[in-house]
């Protein structure tokens, strides 16, 4: 996105309804701790994790749960002036800023985020942000913003292990009324990309194929349905 015309901004963006607290699977202690702590509306929290580690899922899920909450994936708006993107956000009681590391090293964005943070703090609003980059001394540019982001709750999420991805697959399949054997889970993980988005897309296709054919989920069925 390279056009800086603020007239093209349609905010806030609609949430992805596939992401909810009901289907967020907290597979480890850090994710369980974040889920529990954020439910009490903390004033400020920062989630740090690898790509496809569930950050966006949890931010959108909490945004969906709270009236007046705003979810904003900053990576999508990095080329717009911050004044056009952040205008009016200080009125939200819950502010979810995803991919904050996509902009925090730019002076104009860093200063604008610092001003927005102070406005939220003064009103007692909750600020929940997510980053795929650890909060280090060299980031963000504005030391005061770095201090603010690090002053609240801080959670570090690791990438999903194969065991955790298997748990995620089994749990999400169960919500669809499907049963995955451990043998089939191992087979899928050996053939598909090991990240949640790819696995959930495959599960969707398996579910559709099972409904259309009336076949149970087996390796031969998965091979046919997914073209493996």
């Amino acid at each position: 996105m390279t056009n800086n015309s603020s007239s093209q901004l349609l905010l806030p963006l609609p949430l992805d309804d596939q992401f909810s607290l009901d289907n967020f699977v907290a597979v480890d202690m850090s994710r369980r701790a974040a889920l529990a702590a954020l439910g009490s509306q903390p004033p400020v929290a920062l989630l740090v994790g690898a790509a496809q580690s569930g950050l966006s899922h949890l931010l959108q899920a909490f945004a969906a749960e709270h009236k007046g909450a705003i979810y904003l994936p900053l990576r999508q708006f990095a080329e717009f002036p911050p004044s056009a993107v952040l205008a009016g956000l200080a009125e939200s009681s819950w502010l979810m800023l995803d991919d904050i590391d996509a902009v925090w090293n730019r002076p104009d964005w860093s200063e604008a985020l610092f001003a927005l943070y102070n406005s939220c703090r003064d009103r007692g609003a909750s600020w929940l942000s997510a980053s795929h980059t650890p909060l280090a001394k060299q980031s963000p540019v504005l030391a005061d913003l770095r201090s603010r982001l690090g002053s609240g709750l801080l959670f570090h999420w690791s990438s999903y292990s194969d065991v955790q991805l298997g748990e995620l697959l089994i749990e999400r399949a169960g919500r669809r009324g499907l049963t995955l054997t451990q043998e089939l889970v191992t087979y899928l993980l050996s053939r598909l990309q090991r990240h949640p988005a790819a696995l959930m897309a495959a599960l969707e296709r398996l579910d559709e194929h099972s409904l259309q054919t009336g076949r149970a989920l087996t390796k031969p069925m998965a091979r046919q349905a997914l073209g493996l």
Side-chain angles (χ1 to χ4, degrees):
M1 189 179 298
T2 57
N3 192 326
N4 285 348
S5 172
S6 61
S7 64
Q8 294 189 12
L9 294 180
L10 298 175
L11 300 174
L13 295 180
L15 300 172
D16 189 331
D17 59 11
Q18 71 172 314
F19 297 138
S20 70
L21 291 179
D22 285 341
N23 64 21
F24 179 79
V25 183
V27 295
D28 59 18
M29 185 177 297
S30 181
R31 288 172 174 82
R32 288 192 292 271
L35 189 61
L38 298 179
S40 62
Q41 193 174 4
V44 58
L46 175 65
L47 302 175
V48 180
Q52 295 289 333
S53 60
L55 302 180
S56 297
H57 184 148
L58 193 61
L59 261 63
Q60 292 200 55
F62 269 107
E65 288 289 318
H66 297 281
K67 184 178 180 180
I70 293 177
Y71 167 80
L72 194 62
L74 292 177
R75 192 174 304 280
Q76 295 186 31
F77 298 98
E79 298 308 315
F80 285 92
S83 58
V85 180
L86 304 180
L89 296 190
E91 301 305 312
S92 172
S93 58
W94 276 82
L95 189 58
M96 285 75 169
L97 299 179
D98 205 352
D99 296 317
I100 196 171
D101 54 316
V103 298
W104 68 14
N105 274 329
R106 288 173 40 181
D108 56 341
W109 271 97
S110 191
E111 292 176 4
L113 287 170
F114 180 67
L116 177 61
Y117 175 92
N118 286 335
S119 177
C120 290
R121 178 199 60 191
D122 292 344
R123 293 188 309 103
S126 288
W127 169 294
L128 176 56
S129 54
S131 167
H132 294 109
T133 303
L135 191 63
K137 290 184 178 180
Q138 68 271 21
S139 61
V141 168
L142 187 64
D144 287 339
L145 177 60
R146 181 173 64 245
S147 175
R148 297 297 189 275
L149 292 176
S151 67
L153 298 175
L154 180 61
F155 301 96
H156 289 275
W157 292 3
S158 60
S159 299
Y160 289 108
S161 67
D162 280 1
V163 170
Q164 291 169 340
L165 287 173
E167 293 175 2
L168 184 62
L169 261 176
I170 291 171
E171 199 279 341
R172 294 290 287 273
R175 289 180 178 276
R176 293 172 173 268
L178 302 173
T179 300
L180 293 182
T181 65
Q182 189 57 54
E183 180 186 20
L184 181 53
V185 168
T186 301
Y187 175 74
L188 293 174
L189 290 176
S190 71
R191 298 296 193 277
L192 300 171
Q193 290 180 297
R194 289 185 176 88
H195 60 69
L199 295 174
M200 293 309 106
L203 186 60
E204 176 77 22
R205 290 163 61 190
L206 289 173
D207 192 9
E208 291 177 355
H209 192 80
S210 179
L211 288 172
Q212 291 170 1
T213 64
R215 297 172 62 188
L217 298 187
T218 61
K219 286 174 59 176
M221 182 271 219
R223 189 179 301 115
Q224 179 183 33
L226 303 176
L228 299 176

